[in-house]
Amino acid sequence: MSDSRRNTSARACSGCSAGALGFPALLAQSVALISPTMTAALIIPLAFASAGSGTWMAYLFGTGMLLFVAFNLNQFARRSTSPGSMYAYVGRGLGPVSGVLSGWTLLWCYLFIGIAGMTGFTIFGRELLSLMGIHTAIPLVVFFVVLGVIAWALAVKDVRLSSMLTLALEGISVLCILALAVVVVFAHGIHVDTTQLSLHGASARGMSLAVVACIFGLVGFESATALGGEARNPLRNIPRAVVWSLVIAGLFFVVMSYVEVYGTRNSSATLDTLAMPLNTLADLESVGYFKFPIDLGATISFFALSLSCLNAGARLIYPMARHSVFPATLGKAHAANATPALALTAYILLMVAVPAIWSSRTDVLTIFNDAGTLAAFGFLLAYFLIAIAAPMYLRKLGELTRRSVAISLLAFVFLLVPTIGSFYPLPPWPTNLFPYLFLTYLLLGGTWLYLTTRRHPGILTAIETDLESPA
């Protein structure tokens, strides 16, 4: 790595805790944002509604599809690193305007996934209190504020502590769920569900729709790149965290979708109608004592999800503020803790305020589903941009190969499946309005960038110079 590359990275990370995060902490960031518990607890029924017995295959396809996106992402991650790296990566491949818009897009993504974490925390927190015999109706906003305050305090205090805590919390939750899965599959002898393995009743159209729900569950594997400025040996550890988080979570989803479909096959209610499928499985198998640890694990897992979104979102705001896209104060690090404290504060206020206002109009489960759908649109655009930017970046370096072009093309083609599934057939109201809400947000981002360039005429040149500097 050249001296100029090291200097650029240092400038971008000025004030942050460089080298604080090893591979486990980076893996924790991505795994926590994927949130395996979220999918097992609430999203698999959504995929089942479209794919039926092919749900496990939809998750297998979704994992394979996103691996090609990860391979494109790692074309950058193996060669350079900086805070808010997805923003920097797209900027290096497609120029500063695309880079800023990708950062703007990811702020949308992490905000709504973080909101999904808050609402999931509320859903399972209420159920947990009910199991404990506490039936007092606690206002939703109390759950949002409690989560927000604790997550903010942890994120500001120590990025390594918050990252490792998310891995520990998610690990406990996943172990509880896997223990229930073992009971479901082996309690009455080993039986193979040939209906699922043969994809009986599944259709190509249903599978394509299910992949949209799968995307909701799988996104977030890229979030380790947002911690590039604080990673130890980042050119090696970040690419590993990106790929392994996706592989681990994807395999878990394939297993759990098979288990949930298998375990509810004789239930009076179909899987897609179950609000809490894991609790239903525990009741069906007469192991109701599993419900408390599962609900506890889910509650802390959703907390970890919101915490990881807070960390990732703030580390996008941080470099964008240092590039004058946002107010410069958001690009300052905490003097003692070396964390982007002001960016963290601004982002957590949004993460609490949006669902607090939203909850006055609808129920918390609807907010969860809608927040995930809104986030998925942003992730799809960000992944498309990475698939396009990777070969452009390699061409600038003189390292473009046929293999890298093929990987980019495959990622682009595979991403079309959930994209088309988001529009056809036309989803019901108000989901059919969501793409236009996202486009409006993009328009606001473009307008903000235009006004910023008018106030700071040299901003795009400065951003391009910084991003294009050897790193």
Side-chain angles (χ1 to χ4, degrees):
M1 185 182 294
S2 67
D3 290 339
S4 59
R5 176 169 295 195
R6 280 191 289 266
N7 292 338
T8 299
S9 180
R11 286 195 307 272
C13 191
S14 177
C16 281
S17 183
L21 305 178
F23 174 71
L26 294 169
L27 181 66
Q29 170 65 27
S30 286
V31 169
L33 208 149
I34 294 173
S35 186
T37 298
M38 176 177 71
T39 292
L42 294 174
I43 301 179
I44 286 176
L46 297 178
F48 175 81
S50 298
S53 63
T55 303
W56 68 273
M57 179 58 76
Y59 275 104
L60 186 62
F61 175 83
T63 303
M65 174 188 71
L66 290 180
L67 273 174
F68 283 96
V69 175
F71 295 152
N72 280 288
L73 188 65
N74 283 347
Q75 299 286 16
F76 298 92
R78 287 196 299 267
R79 293 172 171 84
S80 62
T81 184
S82 64
S85 287
M86 281 277 283
Y87 153 66
Y89 294 166
V90 173
R92 288 189 179 115
L94 299 177
V97 173
S98 295
V100 171
L101 288 179
S102 73
W104 184 259
T105 297
L106 286 167
L107 287 175
W108 165 283
C109 299
Y110 295 140
L111 173 64
F112 282 105
I113 292 294
I115 290 170
M118 286 193 162
T119 52
F121 174 84
T122 302
I123 291 168
F124 280 91
R126 282 178 155 184
E127 181 67 16
L128 188 63
L129 291 175
S130 178
L131 290 174
M132 295 169 64
I134 302 173
H135 303 289
T136 304
I138 300 175
L140 296 178
V141 69
V142 173
F143 287 93
F144 301 153
V145 171
V146 168
L147 187 155
V149 169
I150 298 174
W152 175 85
L154 286 170
V156 169
K157 178 63 178 176
D158 185 345
V159 65
R160 186 177 182 277
L161 170 64
S162 62
S163 293
M164 293 308 298
L165 180 62
T166 59
L167 182 60
L169 296 181
E170 188 64 35
I172 293 170
S173 180
V174 167
L175 286 175
C176 290
I177 294 171
L178 287 176
L180 176 61
V182 169
V183 172
V184 171
V185 175
F186 298 109
H188 308 293
I190 300 177
H191 302 281
V192 177
D193 191 346
T194 56
T195 300
Q196 288 195 72
L197 296 182
S198 63
L199 305 179
H200 179 73
S203 66
R205 179 181 175 185
M207 295 283 280
S208 67
L209 289 172
V211 172
V212 179
C214 296
I215 291 292
F216 176 16
L218 287 163
V219 294
F221 62 90
E222 79 296 327
S223 64
T225 65
L227 302 176
E230 294 150 284
R232 187 183 313 127
N233 194 6
L235 302 185
R236 179 171 181 267
N237 286 332
I238 289 179
R240 290 171 62 208
V242 166
V243 170
W244 278 108
S245 63
L246 182 57
V247 170
I248 292 169
L251 291 176
F252 177 73
F253 296 159
V254 170
V255 170
M256 286 310 303
S257 58
Y258 174 89
V259 169
E260 290 186 27
V261 174
Y262 174 76
T264 58
R265 66 198 185 286
N266 296 323
S267 172
S268 58
T270 57
L271 178 58
D272 55 307
T273 64
L274 299 178
M276 291 187 156
L278 298 179
N279 284 4
T280 300
L281 286 176
D283 286 333
L284 289 172
E285 296 297 330
S286 300
V287 286
Y289 50 83
F290 265 95
K291 293 199 302 190
F292 183 84
I294 286 175
D295 288 350
L296 176 61
T299 302
I300 59 180
S301 173
F302 280 112
F303 169 83
L305 170 61
S306 292
L307 175 58
S308 64
C309 286
L310 174 60
N311 275 325
R315 281 159 179 80
L316 280 166
I317 293 174
Y318 180 81
M320 293 175 75
R322 295 178 70 82
H323 285 151
S324 300
V325 177
F326 294 133
T329 54
L330 297 178
K332 294 180 180 179
H334 191 284
N337 300 332
T339 55
L342 292 176
L344 288 164
T345 302
Y347 209 56
I348 196 61
L349 288 175
L350 272 177
M351 285 176 62
V352 172
V354 172
I357 296 171
W358 201 347
S359 62
S360 66
R361 309 289 298 179
T362 187
D363 64 275
V364 68
L365 183 58
T366 299
I367 297 174
F368 172 84
N369 292 331
D370 289 349
T373 303
L374 287 166
F377 288 116
F379 277 115
L380 283 172
L381 176 59
Y383 295 160
F384 270 120
L385 288 173
I386 280 293
I388 298 169
M392 301 296 290
Y393 174 66
L394 293 176
R395 188 174 69 173
K396 289 179 182 180
L397 297 180
E399 299 177 16
L400 186 63
T401 64
R402 291 182 180 178
R403 181 176 179 273
S404 58
V405 170
I407 289 173
S408 177
L409 286 174
L410 285 170
F412 191 92
V413 171
F414 286 148
L415 286 169
L416 289 175
V417 175
T419 301
I420 294 172
S422 299
F423 293 91
Y424 178 81
L426 190 67
W429 187 91
T431 309
N432 62 325
L433 301 179
F434 289 177
Y436 304 102
L437 289 176
F438 176 61
L439 290 174
T440 300
Y441 172 80
L442 284 181
L443 180 61
L444 290 173
T447 303
W448 176 265
L449 179 59
Y450 172 75
L451 294 175
T452 301
T453 59
R454 295 296 298 268
R455 292 195 304 269
H456 306 282
I459 184 175
L460 293 180
T461 302
I463 292 175
E464 185 170 20
T465 299
D466 191 19
L467 295 181
E468 293 291 343
S469 296

